[in-house]
Amino acid sequence: GAVVSQHPSRVICKSGTSVKIECRSLDFQATTMFWYRQFPKQSLMLMATSNEGSKATYEQGVEKDKFLINHASLTLSTLTVTSAHPEDSSFYICSARDQSVRGGSFGYTFGSGTRLTVV
Amino acid sequence: RKEVEQDPGPFNVPEGATVAFNCTYSNSASQSFFWYRQDCRKEPKLLMSVYSSGNEDGRFTAQLNRASQYISLLIRDSKLSDSATYLCVVNHDMRFGAGTRLTVKP
């Protein structure tokens, strides 16, 4: 089935630095990518939706200048957390839509997530 | 009111029990409904879609009540391995409910 490869799985960075998270769709074209954040014991919160070749649409309260999303190709989307601070420590996960899939499988595949710790 | 609401639980049930979760949604025009399962520190995985007429997959039954705007998930004969957080998704904009945590105990 469709696979989304997300890297890195875990990253620790110093406060003030930037971190890039990559999501690659393997064997399918990801026309739409969703980016989520999940704090411990809380729900998945949608941060932004990106369509290939277009600017991402950010959810209310998500700073677009802090969370830079690039979806320049059909197989790669990146999320860059700029000037990270300890409060940005969270589980970040992407989900890609496989346009070729129809029916019950829904066509959305998740990456395995990135656990970011900012110290 | 949130677009999608779930009882966060936790639900603690013994093995073999039947347990049901609900998920209410605010947008009456919603068309697509899904249940996902998320294990601790892992990505969500699709459990089942929810069809208008209701659908069953082994021990799992999903139902849609459009009049009251909620979907439900019923798990029969609970197994230890069913312990997880169950998330509902309404519509293709992929917004998740807060999730309901289930713990099945021996």
Side-chain angles (χ1 to χ4, degrees), chain A residues 10 34 36 38 41-44 46 49 59 91 93 95 97 103-108 110-113 115, chain B residues 32 34 36 38 40-46 48-49 51 87 89 91-99 101:
Chain A
R10 185 181 293 266
F34 300 90
Y36 298 86
Q38 186 174 37
K41 297 188 179 182
Q42 293 189 25
S43 61
L44 282 162
L46 181 65
T49 303
E59 294 296 297
F91 185 60
I93 192 165
S95 174
R97 183 175 180 182
S105 67
F106 192 37
Y108 291 95
F110 282 86
S112 54
R115 196 157 300 280
Chain B
S32 308
F34 308 88
Y36 277 73
Q38 185 179 26
C40 189
R41 295 174 172 259
K42 296 286 182 67
E43 73 276 19
K45 293 190 190 298
L46 179 66
M48 57 198 304
S49 306
Y51 301 125
L87 305 158
V89 175
N91 267 352
H92 280 280
D93 61 5
M94 288 295 281
R95 283 186 176 79
F96 285 85
R101 198 156 76 245

Side-chain angles (χ1 to χ4, degrees), chain A:
Chain A
V3 174
V4 172
S5 176
Q6 182 170 348
H7 293 284
S9 59
R10 185 181 293 266
V11 59
I12 301 173
C13 70
K14 289 185 178 179
S15 188
T17 60
S18 295
V19 174
K20 181 185 281 189
I21 301 169
E22 288 190 353
C23 276
R24 290 181 185 276
S25 57
L26 308 181
D27 301 325
F28 75 96
Q29 295 182 333
T31 51
T32 304
M33 190 77 78
F34 300 90
W35 286 95
Y36 298 86
R37 178 170 54 184
Q38 186 174 37
F39 293 107
K41 297 188 179 182
Q42 293 189 25
S43 61
L44 282 162
M45 296 302 298
L46 181 65
M47 299 175 67
T49 303
S50 70
N51 290 299
E52 182 266 337
S54 308
K55 287 185 179 180
T57 301
Y58 289 80
E59 294 296 297
Q60 193 170 13
V62 178
E63 300 173 58
K64 61 178 71 175
D65 293 330
K66 181 169 181 63
F67 299 98
L68 301 179
I69 291 174
N70 184 291
H71 193 170
S73 81
L74 285 170
T75 59
L76 175 65
S77 178
T78 61
L79 166 68
T80 301
V81 183
T82 62
S83 187
H85 292 286
E87 58 265 30
D88 298 323
S89 299
S90 187
F91 185 60
Y92 292 85
I93 192 165
C94 62
S95 174
R97 183 175 180 182
D98 181 356
Q99 289 280 59
S100 66
V101 177
R102 297 286 182 265
S105 67
F106 192 37
Y108 291 95
T109 303
F110 282 86
S112 54
T114 297
R115 196 157 300 280
L116 170 65
T117 303
V118 185
V119 297

